[in-house]
């Protein structure tokens, strides 16, 4: 028989302020797409967005410096 437990019977959905990210390989992104290096945007360096500028390069949008990326590097995009 089911037990009624009002304190334990609740639905706790994720906050509507949370951001969803999807994981990709760097090589799968199109040129000029935004990406992040982590799926936790509130943590230091992970909160900086990047833009893919060529097949092997990405631009840090905070410092405006261009860095090389391997094709299989895991990156994240907001959904």
């Amino acid at each position: 028989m089911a037990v009624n437990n009002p304190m334990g019977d609740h639905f706790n959905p994720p906050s509507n302020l949370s951001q969803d990210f999807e994981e990709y390989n760097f090589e799968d992104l199109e040129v000029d797409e935004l990406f992040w290096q982590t799926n936790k945007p509130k943590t230091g360096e992970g909160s900086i967005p990047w833009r893919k500028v060529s097949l092997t390069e990405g631009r840090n949008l905070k410092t405006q410096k261009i860095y090389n990326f391997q094709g299989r590097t895991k990156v994240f995009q907001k959904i």
Side-chain angles (χ1 to χ4, degrees), residues 17-61:
L17 299 176
S18 67
Q19 298 174 346
D20 293 330
F21 286 85
E22 193 165 328
E23 183 177 304
Y24 291 94
N25 287 329
F26 183 78
E27 65 189 2
D28 296 335
L29 300 179
E30 298 291 328
V31 173
D32 286 335
E33 283 192 313
L34 286 176
F35 66 93
W36 282 258
Q37 289 189 301
T38 179
N39 59 353
K40 296 173 178 57
K42 304 266 190 246
T43 57
E45 292 294 315
S47 63
I48 299 170
W50 293 71
R51 184 174 302 278
K52 184 172 179 177
V53 294
S54 73
L55 294 176
T56 61
E57 296 176 324
R59 179 187 307 271
N60 180 318
L61 295 181

